């Protein structure tokens, strides 16, 4: 399963979300790539107030405060 995590630099919530995804990875088959929204004007405008945003196949699963339980729930684990 491939997910996309939209983040930006100096974002404590983004760092927390990344950490949570890595913890989930230890227990479940999961891959994610990180995308910096500040490198893309369209993404920046779309997600500026929402980040971090976890997306799968173009669909937003969760955004904002992304914890371990929220990830499991969003992925139906």
């Amino acid at each position: 399963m491939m997910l996309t995590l939209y983040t930006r630099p100096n974002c404590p919530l983004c760092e927390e979300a990344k950490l949570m995804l890595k913890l989930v990875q230890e227990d479940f088959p999961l891959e994610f790539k990180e995308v910096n929204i500040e490198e893309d004007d369209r993404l920046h405008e779309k997600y500026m107030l929402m980040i971090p945003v976890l997306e799968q196949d173009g669909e937003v699963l969760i955004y904002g405060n992304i914890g371990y339980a929220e990830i499991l729930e969003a992925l139906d684990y």
Side-chain angles (χ1 to χ4, degrees):
M1 173 178 310
M2 178 54 111
L3 304 170
T4 306
L5 180 66
Y6 293 100
T7 64
R8 73 168 179 229
N10 304 314
C11 163
L13 274 179
C14 299
E15 292 305 315
E16 181 73 11
K18 220 182 323 183
L19 186 66
M20 290 300 130
L21 279 165
K22 287 180 179 166
L23 284 174
V24 171
Q25 268 182 325
E26 291 176 10
D27 300 323
F28 298 95
L30 163 77
E31 285 184 61
F32 72 95
K33 64 179 183 196
E34 187 178 357
V35 176
N36 178 356
I37 63 166
E38 292 188 350
E39 292 172 357
D40 182 318
D41 288 342
R42 186 185 62 80
L43 289 174
H44 189 264
E45 194 172 306
K46 184 176 180 183
Y47 293 134
M48 181 171 47
L49 301 173
M50 293 168 65
I51 62 154
V53 174
L54 189 62
E55 198 179 80
Q56 180 184 14
D57 300 328
E59 183 186 332
V60 172
L61 298 177
I62 0 175
Y63 64 91
N65 197 348
I66 300 175
Y68 189 91
E70 287 83 2
I71 295 169
L72 293 186
E73 194 176 298
L75 301 176
D76 288 330
Y77 281 137

